[in-house]
């Protein structure tokens, strides 16, 4: 075991290396490319024995990953944002093949308008694909989750691909101290890929592209996939225990931070949740009983864990770093559905949308969310969802719009249409 | 917790400088977080990098709003709003500026009372500019007062190992020289306060108004807006054409220019658009008769000014 400074991207590459990855189909995209560069360099210098192939798109990359996994080799790949969306057709397809492999997604807001900075709409788009999802908050977690993900994916009760998600910039390019397990203990944990689970043999071809009409066979296959994903919960809990035993680090399906005796609880995912931890510490300093629940698993959704951890709490401030257009925060609605009809569920669930496109969330804003949630508890009334956005930010945006407006007026004058704003 | 921000231009090694300091803190026993921040990765564009170091695990994340120490590798960035050098400064923030002008001038110019230190710019020998990152990290290490000479040396050895022994040694020499130069000011940097949850300024949250798509779609209505972005500000070297040597070939430099910043007139004379030339020096490398020279931007500007005055 060695403790060193690693970026999230570096930690992901180490995860792939320590898990004994055989095959890496790749296609570059910011902010993920460093993962592939690191692996390519290791393979080039013979520090790692694997085959890396650059494909011509993410669509082909996911296809290659699924196909290789179906032959019984250990497969790792990585993408981000638009790349994940470009491969979306094949995400659903290879999950249907029940091909187990690990894909890293480095979260980055989706176009349009285009950005490089993180939010979770990219990974939410893959929510219903059949891939299981592990969300990380630190670089250490990226490495550890990659090892866990191979075990989870390859478990015979699951056999589904797994996405390990980390936030662009906030983890991908950020160095933090990471404990690097030695190769032997990592491989003792991950184990060999079980070929019996796949049953692929040379000169015994199989077809994965089965057509089923009439609905009933289709329903069978789809629902079996759903049940396999649900099995992932119990399997994950076992793995988290085993991991903690071997490495001394707990990565539960939901991280509960100072939540035991909390009256009010933040719920959020990803690396911004460490900011919430910081805010919880400050709120505790000020004598407020506040905690944090951070789901690491989004698929399967740890509904029972949430019910247990939230029982008897007064209120929840859920922070979604994603936005389902015309609906609101995804985590908020999933949490609401998990808690619906539960006798001891918190009566107040306040929705905040924050951190879109990497928009910072300040400590003061976390404090203010608690003020709003506490007031809701007192009034017994849930306020409407809030986009965390300041008057100062809107003023800055107005400057950009003013430029655009002037440009439009000029354009209209030059094309003889005349200015149309009033 | 220490919160430190490095500002410079793409290519100046600010990411490396932040990593050297981060590794030095780490070797010194601190918990560390370091990261660069950039948009489109371009040589010469303003970038920044930051380092946090603490005795406890670090939960803060992302950009540093109120830094304890700001290091500026290129003083021409200070007045550039997009560079954000002065963002979030308060009275306790120490500035370290790579500049030939004294601290007093900067205090007056910026109208602040902060502690400012300057590192002289070494323009005579351009080779020296390559070590500005090491110089900055060495000076910063001493100002912080908690990093030893030995640990700084070890951090540079670790971070630059891939560049070979000679480069490592030169960087160590530069860093240690800056470290020693800042000796009288060791420990000038103090850590800022933590925000309290019982006494804080409430955020000025607003309800976003609905606006129809004519206003709220992210469209730019004018043509050729990239002309408005003076990317020439990114330049540290300026290509200057010697028309005595130019063969009026009419195409080599203008074709190779990746930014389309070289126009050729009817007589076959190339003209460089300095508002948009980023100083990549591709034209200098490509010109067959070597008619284009690379002149340090500061020198070129000084010559221009002298020319305008006479």
């Amino acid at each position: 075991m060695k403790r060193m400074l690693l970026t999230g991207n570096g930690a992901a590459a180490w995860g792939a290396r320590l898990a004994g990855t055989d095959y890496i189909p790749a296609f570059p995209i910011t902010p993920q490319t460093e993962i592939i560069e690191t692996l390519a360099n290791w393979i080039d210098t013979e520090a790692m024995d694997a085959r890396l192939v650059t494909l011509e798109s993410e669509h082909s990359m996911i296809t290659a990953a699924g196909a290789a996994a179906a032959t019984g080799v250990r497969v790792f790949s990585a993408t981000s944002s638009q790349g994940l969306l470009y491969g979306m057709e094949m995400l659903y397809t290879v999950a249907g093949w029940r091909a187990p492999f690990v894909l890293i997604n480095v979260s980055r807001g989706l176009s349009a308008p285009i950005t490089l900075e993180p939010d979770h709409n990219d990974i939410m788009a893959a929510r219903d694909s059949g891939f299981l999802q592990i969300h990380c908050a630190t670089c250490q977690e990226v490495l550890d989750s990659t090892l866990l993900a191979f075990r989870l994916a390859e478990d015979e009760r699951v056999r589904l691909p797994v996405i390990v998600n980390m936030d662009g910039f906030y983890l991908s390019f950020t160095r933090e101290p990471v404990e690097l397990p030695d190769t032997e203990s990592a491989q003792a944990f991950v184990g060999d890929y079980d070929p019996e689970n796949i049953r692929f043999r040379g000169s015994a071809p199989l077809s994965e592209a089965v057509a089923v009409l009439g609905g009933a066979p289709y329903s069978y296959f789809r629902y079996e996939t759903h049940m396999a994903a649900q099995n992932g919960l119990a399997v994950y809990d076992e793995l988290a225990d085993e991991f903690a035993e071997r490495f001394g680090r707990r990565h539960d399906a939901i991280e509960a931070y100072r939540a035991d005796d909390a009256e009010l609880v933040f719920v959020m995912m990803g690396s911004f949740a460490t900011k919430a931890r910081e805010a919880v510490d400050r709120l505790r300093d000020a004598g407020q009983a506040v905690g944090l629940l951070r789901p690491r698993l989004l698929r399967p959704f740890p509904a029972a864990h949430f019910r247990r951890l939230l029982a008897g709490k007064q209120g929840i401030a859920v922070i979604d770093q994603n936005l389902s257009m015309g609906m609101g925060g995804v985590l908020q609605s999933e949490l609401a559905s998990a808690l619906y009809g539960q006798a001891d569920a918190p009566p107040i669930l306040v929705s905040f949308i924050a951190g879109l496109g990497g928009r910072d969330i300040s400590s003061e804003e976390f404090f203010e969310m608690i003020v709003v949630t506490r007031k809701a508890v007192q009034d017994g009334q849930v306020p409407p969802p809030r986009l965390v956005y300041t008057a100062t930010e809107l003023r800055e945006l107005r400057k950009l719009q003013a430029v655009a407006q002037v440009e439009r007026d000029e354009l209209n004058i030059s094309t003889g249409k005349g200015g149309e704003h009033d | 917790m220490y919160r430190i921000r490095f500002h410079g231009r793409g290519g100046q090694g600010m990411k490396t400088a932040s990593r050297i300091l981060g590794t030095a803190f780490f070797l010194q026993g601190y918990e560390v977080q370091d990261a660069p921040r950039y948009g489109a990765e371009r040589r010469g564009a303003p970038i920044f990098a930051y380092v946090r170091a603490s005795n406890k695990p670090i939960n803060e994340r992302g950009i540093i709003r109120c830094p304890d120490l700001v290091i500026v590798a290129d003083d021409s960035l200070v007045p550039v709003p997009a560079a954000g050098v002065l963002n979030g400064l308060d009275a306790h923030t120490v500035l370290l500026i790579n500049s030939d002008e004294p601290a007093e001038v900067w205090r007056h110019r910026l109208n602040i009372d902060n502690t400012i230190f300057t590192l002289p710019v070494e323009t005579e020998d351009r080779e020296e500019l390559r070590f500005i990152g090491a110089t900055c990290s060495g000076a910063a290490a001493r100002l912080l007062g908690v990093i030893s000479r030995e640990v700084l040396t070890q951090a540079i050895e670790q971070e630059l190992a891939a560049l070979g022994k000679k480069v490592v040694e030169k960087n160590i020499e530069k860093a240690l020289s800056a470290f020693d130069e800042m000796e009288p000011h060791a420990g000038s940097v103090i850590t800022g306060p933590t925000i309290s949850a019982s006494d804080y300024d409430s955020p000025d949250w607003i309800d976003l108004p609905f606006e129809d798509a004519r206003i709220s779609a992210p469209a730019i209505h004018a043509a050729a807006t990239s002309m408005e972005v003076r990317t020439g500000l990114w330049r540290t070297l300026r290509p200057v054409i010697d028309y005595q040597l130019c063969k009026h070939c009419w195409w080599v430099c203008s074709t190779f220019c990746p930014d389309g910043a070289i126009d050729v007139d009817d007589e076959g004379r190339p003209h460089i658009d300095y508002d948009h030339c980023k100083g990549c020096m591709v034209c200098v490398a490509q010109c067959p008769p070597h008619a284009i020279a690379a002149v340090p931007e500061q020198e070129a500007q000084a010559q221009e000014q002298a020319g305008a005055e006479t």
Side-chain angles (χ1 to χ4, degrees):
Chain A
M1 191 99 73
K2 186 174 153 195
R3 199 160 184 263
M4 61 194 291
L5 291 176
L6 279 182
T7 59
N9 282 342
W14 268 108
R17 174 170 164 177
L18 291 171
T21 298
D22 299 305
Y23 177 62
I24 305 154
F27 190 81
I29 181 169
T30 295
Q32 166 280 126
T33 307
E34 189 189 357
I35 300 173
I36 300 304
E37 284 173 348
T38 305
L39 290 168
N41 182 45
W42 283 335
I43 293 168
D44 191 44
T45 55
E46 294 180 5
M48 183 175 171
D49 181 20
R51 187 181 166 93
L52 187 147
V53 178
T54 50
L55 278 300
E56 80 281 10
S57 74
E58 288 85 356
H59 190 279
S60 305
M61 180 183 93
I62 302 294
T63 312
T71 69
V73 296
R74 192 162 274 161
V75 179
F76 172 91
S77 190
T79 189
S80 171
S81 186
Q82 307 298 132
L84 186 72
L85 262 62
Y86 198 80
M88 191 59 71
E89 179 183 16
M90 292 315 294
L91 286 187
Y92 277 71
T93 304
V94 298
W97 295 352
R98 306 291 300 274
F101 65 96
V102 175
L103 176 69
I104 298 276
N105 183 62
V106 183
S107 262
R108 164 181 152 189
L110 294 173
S111 203
I114 201 160
T115 183
L116 298 175
E117 296 176 81
D119 68 34
H120 298 152
N121 261 85
D122 59 349
I123 185 68
M124 287 299 169
R127 187 186 61 164
D128 307 330
S129 64
F131 273 68
L132 307 189
Q133 293 190 10
I134 304 177
H135 290 251
C136 302
T138 65
C139 297
Q140 180 76 60
E141 258 186 62
V142 172
L143 191 158
D144 294 350
S145 300
T146 306
L147 302 179
L148 280 159
F150 278 107
R151 281 287 299 277
L152 181 62
E154 293 168 13
D155 191 284
E156 62 181 6
R157 291 163 287 177
V158 177
R159 235 190 87 179
L160 283 170
V162 178
I163 294 177
V164 174
N165 199 63
M166 71 167 123
D167 292 323
F169 287 85
Y170 288 79
L171 289 182
S172 71
F173 299 153
T174 299
R175 288 200 316 177
E176 292 176 336
V178 173
E179 280 194 21
L180 201 62
D182 57 65
T183 311
E184 292 70 35
S185 45
Q187 285 181 0
F189 172 74
V190 180
D192 290 332
Y193 194 111
D194 176 8
E196 281 308 307
N197 196 11
I198 298 293
R199 292 178 188 279
F200 178 85
R201 296 285 181 281
S203 69
L206 63 89
S207 171
E208 293 280 11
V210 184
V212 286
L213 297 178
Y218 183 84
S219 303
Y220 167 83
F221 291 118
R222 299 297 287 173
Y223 209 80
E224 284 294 327
T225 304
H226 167 61
M227 289 193 290
Q230 286 194 313
N231 281 347
L233 270 177
V235 173
Y236 184 83
D237 287 346
E238 283 172 32
L239 291 173
D241 285 343
E242 187 189 329
F243 191 92
E245 224 163 88
R246 283 177 185 267
F247 299 103
R249 293 187 292 277
R250 282 217 70 87
H251 297 300
D252 289 325
I254 299 177
E255 179 202 343
Y257 185 72
R258 304 184 82 163
D260 278 355
D261 63 337
E263 296 160 3
L264 304 180
V265 177
F266 289 114
V267 176
M268 76 182 300
M269 300 193 304
S271 67
F272 279 49
T274 68
K275 294 165 177 279
R277 257 191 233 159
E278 173 73 18
V280 164
D281 286 347
R282 300 289 76 78
L283 285 157
R284 289 275 177 173
D285 289 348
Q288 301 208 47
V290 174
L292 162 73
L293 295 184
R294 176 177 65 86
R296 285 180 20 84
L297 276 187
L298 185 77
R299 284 293 177 276
F301 191 71
H305 297 63
F306 267 124
R307 286 183 203 125
R308 180 170 49 78
L309 291 163
L310 287 167
K313 307 293 181 205
Q314 296 176 6
I316 306 167
V318 56
I319 303 164
D320 270 288
Q321 207 174 352
N322 66 75
L323 185 56
S324 174
M325 305 302 169
M327 176 61 196
V330 171
L331 194 53
Q332 187 264 343
S333 61
E334 299 213 337
L335 198 55
S337 83
L339 297 175
Y340 183 78
Q342 300 294 311
D344 50 2
I348 296 296
L349 176 61
V350 187
S351 169
F352 296 94
I353 306 293
L356 299 183
R359 190 269 191 195
D360 197 20
I361 308 173
S362 68
S363 294
E364 292 91 332
E365 289 181 326
F366 283 107
F367 303 158
E368 199 67 13
M369 290 179 208
I370 289 302
V371 170
V372 171
T373 308
R374 205 176 281 289
K375 183 169 185 311
V377 169
Q378 278 157 9
D379 299 351
Q381 182 114 27
V382 178
R386 166 171 288 285
L387 173 73
V388 174
Y389 207 79
T390 64
T392 313
E393 286 171 315
L394 186 60
R395 218 162 30 240
E396 290 303 311
L397 186 90
R398 291 293 186 227
K399 291 184 192 167
L400 299 178
Q401 287 181 317
V403 174
Q405 189 60 49
V406 169
E407 287 167 352
R408 187 189 340 205
D409 289 347
E410 281 171 3
L411 196 69
N412 288 337
I413 291 161
S414 70
T415 55
K417 284 188 190 155
E420 66 176 299
H421 78 127
D422 36 37
Chain B
M1 183 181 333
Y2 285 109
R3 300 173 180 91
I4 300 141
R5 224 165 53 199
F6 289 83
H7 292 267
R9 292 181 181 277
Q12 276 188 315
M14 286 305 98
K15 176 180 169 184
T16 306
S18 72
R19 283 186 170 222
I20 290 170
L21 194 66
T23 295
F25 266 122
F26 185 62
L27 294 170
Q28 202 77 53
Y30 282 78
E31 293 298 309
V32 174
Q33 189 188 80
D34 63 47
R37 184 58 77 95
Y38 32 67
E41 296 89 330
R42 295 276 168 74
R43 211 175 180 75
I47 70 127
F48 66 94
Y50 53 83
V51 180
R52 288 188 173 90
S54 172
N55 297 317
K56 291 183 289 188
I58 297 170
N59 281 323
E60 273 188 20
R61 201 168 276 288
I63 55 168
I64 289 173
R65 287 204 299 167
C66 182
D68 306 319
L69 172 63
V70 170
I71 298 137
V72 191
D74 184 326
D75 62 357
S76 69
L77 285 175
V78 178
V80 177
V85 172
L86 303 174
N87 281 2
L89 258 62
D90 74 6
H92 94 288
T93 310
V94 173
L95 277 103
L96 175 69
I97 309 176
N98 187 37
S99 173
D100 282 331
E101 287 169 307
E104 208 34 64
V105 169
W106 282 106
R107 259 192 294 273
H108 177 69
R109 187 177 287 163
L110 302 174
N111 193 24
I112 53 175
D113 292 327
N114 294 55
T115 307
I116 300 180
F117 301 107
T118 57
L119 287 163
V121 187
E122 305 185 68
T123 40
E124 315 83 65
D125 185 358
R126 287 200 57 80
E127 278 299 288
E128 298 293 316
L129 285 176
R130 290 169 51 206
F131 304 103
I132 182 65
T135 302
C136 285
S137 54
R142 197 73 197 104
L143 290 177
L144 287 156
V146 293
I147 293 167
S148 73
R149 240 171 160 268
E150 293 66 38
V151 159
L152 176 66
T153 306
Q154 210 185 328
I156 295 172
E157 281 166 353
Q158 273 190 22
E159 285 303 320
L160 304 182
L163 300 178
K165 198 164 169 254
K166 242 176 106 177
V167 177
V168 171
E169 276 172 5
K170 186 76 180 166
N171 275 280
I172 290 173
E173 182 196 318
K174 286 285 159 189
L176 290 180
S177 143
F179 185 92
D180 294 339
E181 199 181 319
M182 289 296 149
E183 172 67 40
H185 314 296
S188 308
V189 179
I190 51 160
T191 58
T194 329
I195 301 164
S196 156
S198 48
D199 176 26
Y200 65 94
D201 295 330
S202 292
D204 54 339
W205 284 350
I206 46 149
D207 293 325
L208 211 57
F210 170 76
E211 289 166 342
D212 75 40
R214 282 175 301 175
I215 296 292
S216 63
I220 294 173
H221 303 281
T225 50
S226 59
M227 294 298 288
E228 304 296 327
V229 185
R230 304 272 189 250
T231 44
L233 289 172
W234 301 2
R235 195 171 54 235
T236 54
L237 281 175
R238 181 188 294 197
V240 177
I241 301 171
D242 181 342
Y243 289 103
Q244 304 294 316
L245 293 176
C246 173
K247 302 288 184 211
H248 307 285
C249 74
W250 72 263
W251 69 275
V252 175
C253 58
S254 64
T255 307
F256 277 95
C257 174
D259 282 300
I262 305 180
D263 259 354
V264 182
D265 65 20
D266 293 344
E267 276 94 59
R269 278 166 64 94
H271 298 278
I272 300 174
D273 168 9
Y274 289 123
D275 281 345
H276 298 98
C277 160
K278 294 170 187 156
C280 70
M281 301 295 117
V282 167
C283 57
V284 174
Q286 292 299 336
C287 175
H290 307 293
I292 312 178
V295 182
E297 185 59 25
Q298 275 183 330
E299 216 171 278
Q301 283 177 11
Q303 281 170 11
E304 243 172 14
Q305 221 161 14
E309 277 161 18
T310 51

